[in-house]
Amino acid sequence: MLSFRPAFFVLLVSTLLLGSCSGYQKLLKSGDVNKKYEAAVQYYEKGDFFKAGTLLEDLIPLLKGRPEAEKAQFYFANTNYKQRNYVLSAYYFKSFSDTYPNSTYAEEANFLHAKSLFRDSPEFELDQTNTFSALESIQEFLNRYPTSQFRPEAENMSQELQKKLENKAFQSAKLYYNVRYYQAAVTAFGSFQQQYPASAFNEEASFLKLNAQHDLAKESVVEKQRERYLEVLSFYQQFIDNYPQSRNLKDAEVMYTNAREQIAKLKPADTAAK
């Protein structure tokens, strides 16, 4: 008898699961809107967002004009969020907010719309269009609900996205340097420093800008070298003023000394023309 117990247990569980699935399939085919709605809410509250979402998707067109429609649309948007369908949840939360701007769920819907976009923001190496959309949505939420309970989380999301854009900008500038597009690197590092003056990357950006300018001058045609080496001196002065204890100070001094030596050898353009 004992040897049959495991098989009996498996059979019992399978039967229960099949019965459960059978009940759910019947609900999907059912035309009873009230029964279907009650089941969808029950599934939602139990955390079965797949079944709840499937039922709600069928129900929403049938609930138009009824008081249950508001909750059904909010729940449906959230089932997508809970299943990590962030593009869909962003769309449905926005649709909900537009349809029910005075709903008791409106504040949370606006927050979850922004959070969906935040979750959909890609890694910094990829195109950041979605990140800008998320930042815009978060700011709109903060402006609309300045005392919201969700404000601290929204601000943290905004800061995280700003950090991502900061990293993207720095790495893009660094890429120009690594592939020896020195003029583009100098411009990109300069823009980065202006846009993110408090960045932790600024010391490295300042040094790499100096390095890129030095390499640009070295590889330039003779007619442009003097002017570009003079820029090296300027970038060096900025670097040592801001980072006098930098670990790259010796390398910076080497570039400074070399730039002065090259300038001494090169005559100004107007002098050379005489």
Side-chain angles (χ1 to χ4, degrees), residues 189-209:
F189 282 125
S191 297
F192 176 84
Q193 289 174 301
Q194 289 181 346
Q195 191 170 0
Y196 302 101
S199 173
F201 294 119
N202 265 333
E203 179 179 340
E204 188 177 358
S206 184
F207 174 71
L208 290 175
K209 184 174 75 169

Side-chain angles (χ1 to χ4, degrees), residues 193-253:
Q193 289 174 301
Q194 289 181 346
Q195 191 170 0
Y196 302 101
S199 173
F201 294 119
N202 265 333
E203 179 179 340
E204 188 177 358
S206 184
F207 174 71
L208 290 175
K209 184 174 75 169
L210 167 62
N211 214 324
Q213 182 64 32
H214 179 265
D215 289 345
L216 174 65
K218 185 169 61 176
E219 295 185 2
S220 295
V221 295
V222 174
E223 291 78 7
K224 294 183 177 182
Q225 282 187 330
R226 187 174 191 279
E227 178 186 354
R228 289 176 174 176
Y229 275 121
L230 286 170
E231 280 291 293
V232 172
L233 303 187
S234 175
F235 290 166
Y236 167 80
Q237 194 60 52
Q238 293 170 18
F239 178 71
I240 62 169
D241 286 347
N242 291 321
Y243 310 103
Q245 304 300 321
S246 174
R247 63 177 183 173
N248 293 311
L249 199 59
K250 288 185 178 180
D251 290 335
E253 288 172 350

Side-chain angles (χ1 to χ4, degrees), residues 122-153:
E123 296 298 320
F124 78 87
E125 299 94 341
L126 303 176
D127 178 76
Q128 295 300 304
T129 300
N130 289 356
T131 301
F132 287 110
S133 296
L135 280 168
E136 184 179 351
S137 181
I138 292 169
Q139 192 57 54
E140 286 176 359
F141 171 78
L142 292 171
N143 293 341
R144 185 177 299 181
Y145 303 101
T147 60
S148 172
Q149 63 175 316
F150 302 115
R151 184 178 185 88
E153 187 175 356

Side-chain angles (χ1 to χ4, degrees), residues 33-235:
V33 174
N34 293 330
K35 186 177 180 180
K36 212 169 185 177
Y37 174 75
E38 289 173 6
V41 171
Q42 287 176 6
Y43 280 127
Y44 180 91
E45 291 175 350
K46 289 177 182 177
D48 192 337
F49 299 112
F50 173 77
K51 289 181 180 177
T54 305
L55 290 171
L56 288 168
E57 188 172 18
D58 289 343
L59 280 170
I60 285 172
L62 305 175
L63 291 173
K64 284 186 178 179
R66 292 180 50 165
E68 297 95 335
E70 181 181 328
K71 179 185 279 190
Q73 289 194 38
F74 177 79
Y75 277 17
F76 178 61
N78 208 23
T79 61
N80 280 284
Y81 178 80
K82 294 294 187 180
Q83 294 177 85
R84 301 183 180 183
N85 299 324
Y86 298 126
V87 174
L88 288 175
S89 63
Y91 172 81
Y92 286 119
F93 279 125
K94 181 67 166 63
S95 177
F96 176 88
S97 300
D98 292 343
T99 306
Y100 301 102
N102 300 315
S103 169
T104 54
Y105 296 111
E107 180 182 330
E108 188 174 3
N110 277 278
F111 170 70
L112 289 173
H113 170 254
K115 193 170 182 178
S116 296
L117 295 174
F118 167 78
R119 294 291 189 196
D120 192 50
S121 173
E123 296 298 320
F124 78 87
E125 299 94 341
L126 303 176
D127 178 76
Q128 295 300 304
T129 300
N130 289 356
T131 301
F132 287 110
S133 296
L135 280 168
E136 184 179 351
S137 181
I138 292 169
Q139 192 57 54
E140 286 176 359
F141 171 78
L142 292 171
N143 293 341
R144 185 177 299 181
Y145 303 101
T147 60
S148 172
Q149 63 175 316
F150 302 115
R151 184 178 185 88
E153 187 175 356
E155 289 176 338
N156 286 337
M157 291 191 302
S158 180
Q159 290 171 10
E160 187 173 331
L161 294 178
Q162 291 286 1
K163 287 287 185 183
K164 184 184 291 187
L165 293 178
E166 178 183 322
N167 194 15
K168 171 78 171 181
F170 176 71
Q171 297 300 335
S172 295
K174 198 171 180 179
L175 179 61
Y176 283 127
Y177 176 79
N178 289 337
V179 297
R180 302 170 64 90
Y181 290 175
Y182 297 128
Q183 193 159 22
V186 170
T187 301
F189 282 125
S191 297
F192 176 84
Q193 289 174 301
Q194 289 181 346
Q195 191 170 0
Y196 302 101
S199 173
F201 294 119
N202 265 333
E203 179 179 340
E204 188 177 358
S206 184
F207 174 71
L208 290 175
K209 184 174 75 169
L210 167 62
N211 214 324
Q213 182 64 32
H214 179 265
D215 289 345
L216 174 65
K218 185 169 61 176
E219 295 185 2
S220 295
V221 295
V222 174
E223 291 78 7
K224 294 183 177 182
Q225 282 187 330
R226 187 174 191 279
E227 178 186 354
R228 289 176 174 176
Y229 275 121
L230 286 170
E231 280 291 293
V232 172
L233 303 187
S234 175
F235 290 166

